[in-house]
Amino acid sequence: MSKIAICPGSFDPVTLGHIDIIKRASKMFDKVIVAVLVNPGKKPSFSITERMELLREVTEELDKVEITSFNGLLAEYAKEKNAVAVVKGLRAVSDFEYEFQMALTNKKLNPELETIFLTTSAKYMYLSSSMVKQVASFGGDISDFVPACLYDKIYNRLKGEV
Ligand code: ADP
């Protein structure tokens, strides 16, 4: 049976840190479902459709990767998709407490589902979507942070955004 993993997140917008985790997950699993989280509480810079389009463009060459979006409980979504694991990236201790709580909650809701944490690659340790937003909004160069093929789309949207 093929082993399926889910990489969930906001991806608002996708960064090189995300791509690193997605690529590494796809070496470990037969299929990786990247699931863009619909979070009505947050005001995003990119719509769900736009975020999925950006992800599709940059993962086009990765055969094992599928881009989707989801609403509701990750534990349920994983069941629906027959996923055996959730793969998340861990940047710093500050990520840990929340992620640990989420992993335990998901385990309670779906005992078959494992959460796997991949240590961030050192060069992306400080990288987050919100950092990209801040730098671009002030007109800074984000070429070390986002995929080159998406630079213009991401930069033009974020520049001047407060
Ligand atoms: P962000 O904090 O950038 O908004 P998301 O909610 O979109 O992140 O994150 C989706 C997943 O990608 C999470 O598991 C997150 O820990 C991981 N991730 C994001 N940026 C990095 C990075 N620079 N290194 C490793 N993992 C990362």
Side-chain angles (χ1 to χ4, degrees):
M1 204 179 92
S2 73
K3 297 263 185 216
I4 302 173
I6 296 193
C7 287
S10 312
F11 305 101
D12 185 38
V14 61
T15 68
L16 291 174
H18 294 133
I19 300 301
D20 181 53
I21 296 295
I22 294 168
K23 282 189 176 159
R24 286 162 61 195
S26 66
K27 287 187 194 152
M28 301 164 66
F29 291 90
D30 300 310
K31 182 171 164 188
V32 173
I33 298 176
V34 177
V36 181
L37 175 71
V38 179
N39 184 348
K42 276 194 188 169
K43 195 188 162 293
S45 299
F46 294 86
S47 70
I48 295 285
T49 313
E50 288 169 332
R51 282 180 257 167
M52 289 172 67
E53 272 168 17
L54 294 173
L55 278 160
R56 279 207 182 101
E57 197 172 329
V58 69
T59 59
E60 213 173 7
E61 320 262 89
L62 305 174
D63 294 341
K64 291 180 178 179
V65 176
E66 180 186 314
I67 310 299
T68 63
S69 67
F70 86 104
N71 206 338
L73 289 175
L74 180 62
E76 288 302 318
Y77 187 67
K79 250 184 228 166
E80 214 178 280
K81 293 285 184 182
N82 291 318
V84 293
V86 174
V87 176
K88 304 222 68 183
L90 266 193
R91 279 162 291 197
V93 183
S94 51
D95 278 347
F96 183 76
E97 197 171 333
Y98 176 73
E99 293 296 348
F100 195 64
Q101 194 182 8
M102 284 290 294
L104 290 175
T105 307
N106 285 332
K107 191 80 188 160
K108 183 91 188 152
L109 296 172
N110 178 354
E112 297 300 311
L113 184 67
E114 298 295 345
T115 299
I116 296 175
F117 294 111
L118 298 183
T119 312
T120 182
S121 296
K123 59 183 171 179
Y124 300 134
M125 190 165 170
Y126 55 87
L127 184 53
S128 68
S129 297
S130 50
M131 210 271 293
V132 169
K133 286 186 201 190
Q134 269 189 39
V135 173
S137 70
F138 292 115
D141 180 4
I142 54 169
S143 54
D144 284 342
F145 311 145
V146 300
C149 62
L150 303 180
Y151 189 97
D152 290 344
K153 282 182 191 154
I154 294 179
Y155 184 77
N156 292 336
R157 168 65 55 88
L158 297 175
K159 191 171 184 299
E161 210 180 59
V162 184

